[in-house]
Amino acid sequence: MAYWLLKSEPESYSWDDLIREGATEWTGVRNPAAALHLKAMAVGDRGFFYHSGKEKAAVGVMEITRTAQQDGDEPRWVSVAVKPVEALARPVTLAAMKAEPKLAGMEMLRQSRLSVSPVSDAEWAVLTGMAKG
């Protein structure tokens, strides 16, 4: 299993929207690097749902339920299907991530504008621990 972090502006699509709908198609990614990450996802992979914008925090865990398929007219753009697994007991803020030395190499912190990024096994363990308090 691989781990990921997927960002969404909560005003556009929030964790609460995903909970209400029970599943969604993760569409609209138009960055080549982020699209490559979507293409690398496998069914059963897990990802943090991260609220970007004002909130800047990981708020839930999702599961990838279908691999990449074309999103729109151009083959290079893809989407994946996701479903919610669980809300984090405590959101993990961007400030908390930046303050944790064990996350210094995290892709999301190194390339902050990337909307989809990988999370290592070690980083996943640190983040889930932070979410528990």
Side-chain angles (χ1 to χ4, degrees):
M1 177 187 317
Y3 299 109
W4 308 94
L5 185 141
L6 296 92
K7 295 180 181 179
S8 181
E9 293 273 347
E11 298 79 24
S12 298
Y13 193 83
S14 70
W15 172 254
D16 289 340
D17 293 327
L18 180 59
I19 293 294
R20 185 177 59 255
E21 293 175 8
T24 196
E25 190 71 21
W26 203 269
T27 61
V29 174
R30 296 296 182 264
N31 174 285
L36 287 174
H37 294 317
L38 289 175
K39 290 176 183 176
M41 292 179 182
V43 172
D45 283 359
R46 296 284 171 103
F48 285 112
F49 191 115
Y50 182 92
H51 279 169
S52 56
K54 286 183 259 179
E55 192 172 340
K56 292 184 178 64
V59 296
V61 174
M62 306 180 289
E63 181 176 324
I64 308 306
T65 59
R66 197 209 65 256
T67 56
Q69 70 178 21
Q70 189 170 324
D71 178 20
D73 296 332
E74 287 192 49
R76 68 180 174 158
W77 303 132
V78 296
S79 64
V80 296
V82 300
K83 71 176 183 181
V85 174
E86 65 182 346
L88 297 180
R90 189 175 87 183
V92 180
T93 65
L94 177 60
M97 289 178 197
K98 286 181 175 181
E100 174 52 65
K102 293 177 184 168
L103 298 177
M106 191 171 165
E107 191 72 18
M108 197 266 297
L109 299 179
R110 293 185 324 104
Q111 294 187 343
S112 62
R113 298 199 42 87
L114 208 53
S115 63
V116 179
S117 58
V119 176
S120 72
D121 292 356
E123 292 162 348
W124 186 269
V126 169
L127 287 163
T128 54
M130 293 170 74
K132 292 176 182 171

